[in-house]
Amino acid sequence: MLTQDQMKLAAAKKALEFIPENAVIGVGTGSTVNLFIDQLGTIKHLIQGAVSSSEATTERLKALGIPVLDLALVDELPVYVDGADEINHYLHMVKGGGGALTREKIVAAVAKEYICIADETKYVTVLGEFPLPVEVVPMARSYVARQLERLSTSGSRVHPELRMAAGDKVFLTDNGNYILDVHGLQIAEPVSLESKINQIAGVVTNGLFAQRRADVLLLGTQSGVEVKR
Ligand code: 5RP
């Protein structure tokens, strides 16, 4: 019986097969990606460098001697490797458990191919069991929360919760914003919900990655890594 971490590691190792030589690659954020970064360290001489999606990832890349480049100065990003909190059979995702959703979405938008690495617990039929992270400009938090509550249907009560950090402090993203974690959504139409939430004034972005879904899923399972497209 493999542990969740062993399945994550298997997916992270498999991702090395998708890294083109001499390229700059995009790197996501999270515990699965951390395992991938460690693997990337073993082939760092084969790549030019990486564009990072968070301060935490930047620190880890630099610690391994992998050059971190500014996205604005990079013409092409053939591949972006990142995890997910949930991923469905269409490879639509919920992301942002680590709070890095906005930069992740930007780097993913630039990349030609999105490689998602995840263990089998992340693979779901309907998105929304994991609370959907929404990054908001601090002054808009109450307004956005009220607007999000209006997504409730007769069968479900939608409940946005302000994300907290240790020591009773409000969690701050790398961009200095807040996160509302939205509970109670059953996301039947991820593509349209992604747009709808982004249209609320004060929302920076939300953790639905449906309009730019993953192209390849490397899913660590009990019986090996499954490649899904
Ligand atoms: C961070 C993310 C991560 O990809 C997501 O939270 C998955 O993380 P982990 O690999 O630790 O389960 O979106 O903002």
Side-chain angles (χ1 to χ4, degrees):
M1 177 91 176
L2 296 177
T3 63
Q4 189 178 8
D5 281 347
Q6 286 168 327
M7 293 188 284
K8 285 181 182 183
L9 178 61
K13 280 185 173 165
K14 182 79 179 167
L16 287 188
E17 293 173 22
F18 291 77
I19 307 303
E21 275 195 22
N22 211 24
V24 177
I25 65 157
V27 182
T29 298
S31 59
T32 316
V33 166
N34 283 344
L35 297 170
F36 168 71
I37 295 172
D38 295 344
Q39 296 299 314
L40 197 60
T42 66
I43 60 151
K44 65 181 177 193
H45 53 286
L46 296 177
I47 61 167
Q48 277 187 41
V51 168
S52 168
S53 63
S54 65
E55 302 298 336
T57 287
T58 298
E59 205 175 295
R60 202 169 180 106
L61 288 164
K62 284 185 172 168
L64 286 173
I66 299 169
V68 177
L69 307 169
D70 180 347
L71 178 65
L73 305 177
V74 170
D75 293 332
E76 256 185 17
L77 220 46
V79 163
Y80 176 62
V81 179
D82 199 356
D85 296 301
E86 285 182 339
I87 182 161
N88 69 14
H89 305 195
Y90 300 100
L91 308 193
H92 298 145
M93 295 165 283
V94 166
K95 291 184 46 55
L101 59 161
T102 299
R103 294 190 192 185
E104 289 174 342
K105 207 174 259 197
I106 294 167
V107 185
V110 175
K112 209 158 165 219
E113 194 166 42
Y114 185 134
I115 315 285
C116 180
I117 49 176
D119 66 86
E120 64 185 12
T121 64
K122 309 289 183 65
Y123 198 49
V124 300
T125 308
V126 180
L127 300 173
E129 179 83 30
F130 189 93
L132 178 69
V134 178
E135 180 163 349
V136 295
V137 173
M139 70 175 285
R141 65 189 182 278
S142 301
Y143 169 71
V144 172
R146 288 195 296 274
Q147 296 303 111
L148 290 168
E149 279 169 5
R150 292 169 62 172
L151 297 171
S152 294
T153 57
S154 52
S156 75
R157 192 178 82 86
V158 173
H159 169 56
E161 198 173 75
L162 185 63
R163 190 179 295 186
M164 301 301 288
D168 240 9
K169 292 211 173 79
V170 179
F171 176 90
L172 278 186
T173 69
D174 287 347
N175 312 307
N177 295 314
Y178 292 173
I179 298 245
L180 293 170
D181 289 305
V182 187
H183 298 254
L185 288 168
Q186 284 201 344
I187 307 174
E189 292 176 8
V191 174
S192 58
L193 186 63
E194 184 178 352
S195 293
K196 197 170 173 182
I197 294 177
N198 281 345
Q199 277 164 13
I200 302 171
V203 168
V204 178
T205 197
N206 71 80
L208 273 170
F209 284 54
Q211 287 164 17
R212 202 287 172 253
R213 64 177 184 94
D215 300 293
V216 181
L217 166 61
L218 304 178
L219 190 68
T221 74
Q222 287 298 330
S223 48
V225 179
E226 291 177 17
V227 181
K228 298 181 183 294
R229 290 176 191 271

